[in-house]
Amino acid sequence: MNNIQQHIGQHDATYNISIQPPTSLNGNVEIPTSKSIANRSIVIDALSNNTSTFQGAVNCDDVAVMLNGIKGETCELNIMASGTAMRFLTAYWSIQPNSTHILTGTERMKQRPIKVLVDSLRTLGADIEYMEKEGYPPLKINGKALEGGTITMSADVSSQYVSALLMVAPFFTKGLTLTLKGTIASRSYIDLTIDIMTSCGAKVHWTDVDTIKVEPKRYEATQRMIENDWTSASYWYLHLALSDCQEAQITMKGLSESSKQGDSVVRYLFSLLGIKTAFIKESADNDMAKVVLSKDKKKVSMLHYDFINAPDLAQTMVVACVAMGIPFRFTGLSTLKIKETNRITALQSELLKLGFVVNNDKSDELSWNGERCDVTSTDINTFEDHRMALAFSALTYLFPNITINAANVVSKSYPHFWSDLESLGYLLKVKS
C-alpha cells in the first residue's frame, strides 16, 4: 500500500489533497474500464437474465450504484449522485411487471431534470409519479409491460434519456420508433448504446438522421470485453501537456483505436496541443491496444471546438488551454449545467481564483481571450463533481501545492487516481 492509500484509509469523511508535481514524468497508469459501457452492459445483462456477459473489472461509485439499483432488493433505491443510474433505472423498472420502486438520490440529484424521459415513458403507458417536485426525482415507479409504438422525444437535454429508452425498447411488444427533436446532444453516446445493443442481439438502427427503430427482439447472452475509459485517459493527456519535461511519456493499456466512446476524440484534441498518441496492438484477438503518449513541440495558437458530442471533455480542455496560454471558444456545452454541478459556473469560479477570466457570453459557450487577474486562492472547490477534481489536479504544474477540496469525489469514476499520481512521483499530502 502506498502513502496516499494509507492516509486516505484513515479518513472516512471528506478529505482534501495538496499536490506537488514531479521533476520528470514517465511511467504506466492503469486507467479504469469505461463506466459508460459497464452501466449499459449491466442493464442489458439484467434484461437478458445473464449476470456475466462482460469482462473487465469496473470499480467506481457509479457502477456500484447501478449494480445495487438493478437488483432492486429494497423498495427505495438511493442512487446517490449518479445521473446515469437515475435515468437508466427509471426506464428499467418501468417495464418490470408487479414491481414498485422509489428512485431517489442526493440533493443535487433532486435538482437534475428527468421530465423528458418520464413524459416519454408515460406516453408509452408507464406508471411513474413525482414524489416531491414535478419534473425531478424522487420518482415512484410501478412497473408494467409496455406495448411501445412511435413517439417523439426532445434530444437536446441529455442523450441518457434516449439511451435509457432504447435499451428497454426490445421488450416493448410493438417495438419502438423514436424520433429525436432538436439538436441531438452527445450523439456519440447514443451510437455507443446502439452498438452495445446490437452486439447483444437486439435489432436497432437509425432509419434517418433523427429517427431510430428498435424491433421487438430480445437480447441474447454474449461475452464481451469492456475497454478502458477514454474520459479517464484525458486527464493523463492533460498532465503530460502541462509537464515541463519534454521527454515526458505516459503509457496506458486497454484502449481501442476504433472505440465507439465519444471521448476517444481526446487524442485528436491533444494532438493540437502538442501530444502524440501511439497505439501498440496487444493481441490479435481483440482491438485493445497499449497507448503511449509523448510530447510534440507543435501546438495551435487558438482553439475553437464544438463539444456537443463530447461534453465530459470540456473541463479537461478548458484547463489545458488556460494553463498553456491558448485562447479558446468552446461551444455545445449546454448539458454541462445539469451535470453533478453546473460545470460552466464551477469552471469560471475556480479558474477566477487562479487568475483566469473565462467568459460565458452564450448559454452553451465558454471562451477565454487570454485575460488574467490576480490569484486569490489555490484551494479548488470540486462541488461534488469528480471531473473538477480530476482536471484541476494538473494545474499543480502552474501552482505547486494546489489543493483539491473534497478530493474523495474521484471515487465516482476513477477511485485510484490519487494513487496513480503518487506512483508517477507526484507528492501528495492529505489535509483536513
Side-chain angles (χ1 to χ4, degrees):
M1 181 179 290
N2 58 28
N3 290 335
I4 197 66
Q5 286 177 314
Q6 291 176 340
H7 284 301
I8 291 173
Q10 299 170 7
H11 291 71
D12 294 328
T14 299
Y15 56 84
N16 309 326
I17 287 181
S18 66
I19 311 168
Q20 290 185 25
T23 54
S24 62
L25 184 58
N26 195 307
N28 303 306
V29 291
E30 297 289 338
I31 59 174
T33 41
S34 168
K35 70 184 182 71
S36 295
I37 297 176
N39 280 334
R40 285 160 173 79
S41 298
I42 289 167
V43 173
I44 292 172
D45 284 351
L47 291 169
S48 60
N49 295 316
N50 191 327
T51 59
S52 59
T53 61
F54 63 83
Q55 303 172 25
V58 183
N59 179 26
C60 66
D61 291 351
D62 267 12
V63 173
V65 163
M66 181 66 76
L67 285 168
N68 288 332
I70 212 82
K71 294 175 184 176
E73 294 177 343
T74 59
C75 176
E76 182 170 312
L77 305 174
N78 188 340
I79 55 78
M80 306 301 290
S82 176
T84 306
M86 176 59 72
R87 290 140 188 179
F88 288 4
L89 292 174
T90 294
Y92 175 82
W93 286 113
S94 292
I95 67 162
Q96 303 301 316
N98 305 313
S99 69
T100 297
H101 289 90
I102 293 170
L103 288 184
T104 190
T106 61
E107 286 306 308
R108 172 61 181 171
M109 182 55 60
K110 294 178 182 181
Q111 300 169 12
R112 298 177 70 177
I114 198 166
K115 180 175 170 54
V116 170
L117 176 58
V118 171
D119 283 354
S120 296
L121 287 165
R122 282 176 167 177
T123 298
L124 296 168
D127 183 355
I128 306 174
E129 304 172 29
Y130 295 114
M131 299 192 67
E132 292 181 10
K133 182 180 178 182
E134 184 77 12
Y136 297 86
L139 307 174
K140 182 178 182 181
I141 304 171
N142 299 305
K144 58 191 288 192
L146 301 179
E147 285 191 352
T150 300
I151 64 169
T152 298
M153 170 189 275
S154 295
D156 56 356
V157 179
S158 173
S159 66
Q160 290 180 356
Y161 301 152
V162 180
S163 291
L165 194 57
L166 290 178
M167 285 190 290
V168 299
F171 285 73
F172 298 162
T173 55
K174 295 181 179 179
L176 178 70
T177 299
L178 177 61
T179 298
L180 304 178
K181 182 175 63 176
T183 301
I184 300 175
S186 305
R187 183 187 285 263
S188 60
Y189 284 93
I190 299 173
D191 288 336
L192 177 65
T193 301
I194 291 173
D195 183 69
I196 296 172
M197 290 174 64
T198 301
S199 72
C200 295
K203 288 189 175 181
V204 51
H205 60 278
W206 291 93
T207 62
D208 206 335
V209 293
D210 61 354
T211 304
I212 304 168
K213 186 174 180 63
V214 185
E215 302 288 347
K217 180 185 179 297
R218 299 193 175 191
Y219 297 111
E220 302 166 359
T222 57
Q223 291 286 333
R224 60 191 179 281
M225 177 70 73
I226 294 185
E227 64 189 78
N228 284 353
D229 184 39
W230 273 105
T231 320
S232 296
S234 77
Y235 306 112
W236 298 111
Y237 277 89
L238 176 58
H239 275 262
L240 195 73
L242 301 192
S243 168
D244 296 329
C245 178
Q246 189 59 36
E247 292 74 36
Q249 183 172 289
I250 290 179
T251 301
M252 300 174 285
K253 293 182 178 180
L255 291 166
S256 171
E257 189 170 7
S258 59
S259 177
K260 297 292 185 180
Q261 295 181 58
D263 287 355
S264 63
V265 74
V266 69
R267 64 186 190 265
Y268 160 72
L269 291 171
F270 271 95
S271 72
L272 303 176
L273 303 184
I275 300 298
K276 296 184 290 186
T277 304
F279 289 87
I280 302 172
K281 198 72 179 293
E282 295 185 282
S283 170
D285 297 332
N286 59 60
D287 292 333
M288 304 305 176
K290 179 168 64 174
V291 169
V292 181
L293 308 182
S294 59
K295 280 182 170 284
D296 186 350
K297 292 183 180 180
K298 298 178 181 178
K299 64 179 182 179
V300 297
S301 58
M302 180 177 291
L303 184 58
H304 290 181
Y305 193 76
D306 185 347
F307 282 89
I308 189 69
N309 287 317
D312 283 345
L313 293 179
Q315 284 142 300
T316 305
M317 297 307 300
V318 167
V319 168
C321 286
V322 297
M324 299 176 76
I326 298 174
F328 65 83
R329 184 170 69 87
F330 295 155
T331 59
L333 304 178
S334 60
T335 61
L336 266 60
K337 296 178 182 178
I338 62 166
K339 297 287 187 176
E340 285 82 347
T341 186
N342 183 329
R343 289 178 174 171
I344 288 178
T345 57
L347 278 166
Q348 287 183 288
S349 69
E350 300 315 289
L351 287 173
L352 189 63
K353 290 179 181 178
L354 301 174
F356 302 103
V357 183
V358 175
N359 299 307
N360 175 218
D361 296 328
K362 295 183 180 180
S363 62
D364 69 336
E365 291 188 11
L366 282 172
S367 63
W368 184 61
N369 61 9
E371 183 180 357
R372 299 291 301 269
C373 63
D374 291 339
V375 176
T376 59
S377 175
T378 58
D379 282 10
I380 302 302
N381 294 323
T382 53
F383 305 102
E384 300 183 350
D385 185 350
H386 53 136
R387 303 207 186 283
M388 288 294 292
L390 293 162
F392 275 78
S393 67
L395 288 174
T396 181
Y397 284 103
L398 273 70
F399 306 97
N401 286 315
I402 193 171
T403 297
I404 306 299
N405 295 331
N408 52 301
V409 74
V410 300
S411 65
K412 192 172 194 294
S413 63
Y414 196 158
H416 56 281
F417 178 73
W418 304 121
S419 297
D420 282 353
L421 274 184
E422 192 171 61
S423 73
L424 291 174
Y426 291 77
L427 180 61
L428 307 185
K429 181 179 179 181
V430 176
K431 302 170 67 176
S432 57

